[in-house]
């Protein structure tokens, strides 16, 4: 029975069937296995890819507004592409995605407590 369980686990890993909650660290690790880009221009490539994918999200939302109907699954798929680029950029700058997420929430909650969520500027 143990051999069968091991074979099932191996199959699931090979087919990338996730049976657990995906943590930011796990996502970053699995996503990096699909990263193909010129390493000497990694940051530039990733920044351009991120903005390109964010533009695709915006384009699908624009069509949803214009036509009054749209494909929210397609929007979600594009958000996934944005997430991939965010994870790869986090890896490239040497800060785990999990840390970036935590720091972002700290910043936003601090702004909420101080009543500075609205407005502009990084240092509020």
């Amino acid at each position: 029975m143990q051999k069968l369980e091991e074979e099932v686990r191996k199959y699931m890993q090979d087919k990338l069937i996730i049976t657990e909650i995906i943590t930011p660290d796990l996502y970053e690790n699995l996503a990096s296995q699909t990263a193909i880009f010129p390493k000497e221009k990694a940051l530039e490539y990733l920044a351009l890819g991120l903005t390109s994918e964010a533009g695709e999200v915006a384009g699908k939302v624009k069509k949803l507004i214009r036509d009054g109907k749209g494909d929210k699954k397609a929007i979600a798929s594009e958000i996934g592409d944005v997430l991939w680029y965010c994870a790869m950029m986090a890896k490239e700058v040497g800060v785990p995605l999990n840390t970036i997420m935590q720091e972002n929430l700290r910043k936003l909650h601090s702004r909420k407590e101080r009543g500075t969520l609205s407005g502009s500027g990084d240092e509020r």
Side-chain angles (χ1 to χ4, degrees):
M1 188 65 159
Q2 186 174 0
K3 184 175 186 208
L4 179 60
E5 288 176 1
E6 289 173 13
E7 288 178 18
V8 168
R9 267 196 209 99
K10 173 86 170 100
Y11 173 82
M12 291 172 74
Q13 287 175 338
D14 290 346
K15 299 296 182 192
L16 194 62
I17 297 171
I18 309 289
T19 59
E20 59 192 86
I21 294 174
I22 297 180
T23 63
D25 292 337
L26 177 60
Y27 180 86
E28 193 174 331
N29 182 28
L30 294 173
S32 69
Q33 295 174 13
T34 65
I36 302 172
F37 53 84
K39 303 302 181 200
E40 67 278 359
K41 294 280 189 183
L43 201 55
E44 296 93 329
Y45 177 90
L46 294 169
L48 291 169
L50 175 61
T51 55
S52 174
E53 293 298 339
E56 289 188 40
V57 171
K60 292 194 181 323
V61 170
K62 177 196 73 166
K63 288 178 183 175
L64 183 66
I65 293 168
R66 181 191 66 203
D67 301 336
K69 60 183 180 197
D71 186 356
K72 289 185 178 181
K73 287 183 181 179
I75 295 170
S77 178
E78 296 301 338
I79 293 169
D81 292 339
V82 169
L83 178 60
W84 185 91
Y85 278 100
C86 287
M88 294 306 94
M89 286 191 79
K91 193 169 191 70
E92 183 62 29
V93 299
V95 180
L97 190 56
N98 188 50
T99 301
I100 291 170
M101 293 166 67
Q102 290 174 1
E103 289 300 317
N104 183 256
L105 286 174
R106 280 189 196 99
K107 175 182 75 177
L108 294 173
H109 282 275
S110 171
R111 287 179 181 172
K112 181 180 178 184
E113 289 171 3
R114 293 180 286 118
T116 59
L117 268 176
S118 58
S120 61
D122 288 339
E123 303 298 324
R124 332 180 224 149

